[in-house]
Amino acid sequence: MRAMVYRGPYKIRVEEKDIPKIEHPNDAIIRVTTGAICGSDLHLYHGMMPDTRVGTTFGHEFAGVVHQVGSSVQNLIPGDRVMVPFNVYCGSCWFCARGLYSNCHNVNPNATAVGGIYGYSHTCGGYDGGQAEFVRVPFADVGPSRIPDWMDEEDAVLLTDALPTGYFGAQLGDIVEGDTVVVFGAGPVGLFAAKSAWLMGAGRVIVVDHLDYRLEKARSFAHAETFNFAEYDDIVVHLKKQTDYLGADVVIDAVGAEADGNFLQHVTATKFKLQGGSPVALNWAIDSVRKGGTVSVVGAYGPIFSAVKFGDALNKGLTLRMNQCPVKRQWPRLFEHIRNGYLKPNELVTHRIPLEHIAEGYHMFSAKLDNIIKPLIISATA
């Protein structure tokens, strides 16, 4: 089969690999028809995620057709169209029993730190991902679901990470009616978080980024007020002015490890790997939320420490909430919102790139070329 293969930071290519085999009776093999490049895939591409091994195939957002199932699989049969959440999880451990699928204790040798994620380094279990023609899916009766007949496959792919994670970010904010919500980051997760904030009763939604074309999308897609932080001496002071000097009720960090806005933080995180991510957006979130407010973090950070302003969070009495999204827990409500027309995920899709050209896709996404927001990867087997 053809698959994207990692060869080192900023070096990927498409190569021939063996079609994965059933390794356990609970496995399924999925023929991938549509995948995606996630903003967090860029952390791998840039060499920021520990234990990202040469030869690995990335890709934790994908949908396709069941090709083969193990002898114990009961809920799927070959030919089913399925969507697969990015979490690899067993469905039966202490965490899964409580719906914390992203914290599953049985799918990763590093489970005390993080659960399992497709195509996201050996830190997250070493599973190959879906930027390939085929992928092995463990615990196939637990994670994947059939795509409803009424659902567009592009919407289904965006339900495997970007939309649920954005929705989860708003959910973690415990938004109440009339709240002012600030979202840092106008990528797909931030845009979905902003849109979700309205669905949860926000009275005002503000999106902050430094890319004008993405801020334009925040206005048209999420109906948010927008600010370009590069146009202000201090974006925190500006946000305070915008909120009667109290600060926002809820602030969502949808940026994560590669935040711009502070040269020293950016260099120590992305160039010298001295911390697990540049916490610029997170520190802005802590400083711009009101005392007693809530900061929600769904932007991805690495496993080592970052220089977070924890003292400020303590002294302001903040609630800090964060996790990798337990994707499938969000699906029932999101299915309703899509079916009722409140959400149309594929409105964020800007590029559809053949798997053979995925290296160009990564370059475009990394360099933010051609007004790219969300690139999908189309397999030749589609």
Side-chain angles (χ1 to χ4, degrees), residues 142-157:
V142 176
S145 285
R146 292 189 184 91
I147 300 172
D149 291 339
W150 52 266
M151 186 179 289
D152 186 280
E153 183 162 306
E154 291 188 350
D155 290 339
V157 170

Side-chain angles (χ1 to χ4, degrees), residues 32 44 53 70 74 78 132 142 147 154 179 190 194 196 229-230 237 241 245 250-251 263 280 283 287:
V32 179
L44 301 167
R53 301 183 188 179
Q74 298 182 355
V142 176
I147 300 172
E154 291 188 350
D179 272 355
S196 300
F229 69 74
V237 171
K241 289 178 181 175
Y245 291 94
V250 176
V251 181
F263 178 76
V280 177
N283 285 336
D287 286 341

Side-chain angles (χ1 to χ4, degrees), residues 169-205:
Q171 204 173 48
L172 290 178
D174 278 337
I175 296 166
V176 299
E177 188 173 351
D179 272 355
T180 295
V181 178
V182 170
V183 179
F184 282 102
V189 169
L191 294 170
F192 283 133
K195 188 102 172 179
S196 300
W198 291 118
L199 295 173
M200 296 177 193
R204 188 181 182 191
V205 178

Side-chain angles (χ1 to χ4, degrees), residues 106-325:
N106 286 332
V107 292
N108 183 1
N110 304 305
T112 54
V114 62
I117 301 176
Y118 293 100
Y120 214 77
S121 82
H122 279 68
T123 299
C124 297
Y127 298 92
D128 266 340
Q131 290 169 3
E133 291 180 333
F134 294 87
V135 60
R136 183 178 74 90
V137 172
F139 300 102
D141 277 337
V142 176
S145 285
R146 292 189 184 91
I147 300 172
D149 291 339
W150 52 266
M151 186 179 289
D152 186 280
E153 183 162 306
E154 291 188 350
D155 290 339
V157 170
L158 294 179
L159 276 162
T160 63
D161 180 5
L163 173 55
T165 296
Y167 189 82
F168 184 56
Q171 204 173 48
L172 290 178
D174 278 337
I175 296 166
V176 299
E177 188 173 351
D179 272 355
T180 295
V181 178
V182 170
V183 179
F184 282 102
V189 169
L191 294 170
F192 283 133
K195 188 102 172 179
S196 300
W198 291 118
L199 295 173
M200 296 177 193
R204 188 181 182 191
V205 178
I206 298 170
V207 175
V208 178
D209 202 296
H210 69 296
L211 298 171
D212 285 329
Y213 77 91
R214 291 191 169 195
L215 292 173
E216 169 56 33
K217 194 68 175 179
R219 293 189 288 273
S220 62
F221 174 77
H223 311 293
E225 299 170 55
T226 61
F227 297 113
N228 183 332
F229 69 74
E231 296 176 358
Y232 301 93
D233 291 336
D234 188 328
I235 188 62
V236 171
V237 171
H238 183 69
L239 289 170
K240 289 285 181 66
K241 289 178 181 175
Q242 292 294 317
T243 53
D244 294 331
Y245 291 94
L246 289 176
D249 300 294
V250 176
V251 181
I252 301 169
D253 171 8
V255 180
E258 295 190 70
D260 287 310
N262 181 299
F263 178 76
L264 181 62
Q265 295 276 21
H266 188 74
V267 168
T268 55
T270 63
K271 303 302 179 187
F272 297 110
K273 315 291 192 286
L274 296 177
Q275 51 179 335
S278 166
V280 177
L282 179 52
N283 285 336
W284 283 346
I286 289 170
D287 286 341
S288 58
V289 73
R290 67 166 167 76
K291 287 179 280 188
T294 300
V295 173
S296 161
V297 185
V298 287
Y301 289 87
I304 64 172
F305 68 87
S306 293
V308 176
K309 301 173 81 170
F310 187 75
D312 285 358
L314 168 70
N315 292 319
K316 291 177 71 174
L318 302 185
T319 298
L320 306 180
R321 301 189 70 192
M322 63 209 78
N323 201 350
Q324 296 281 354
C325 177

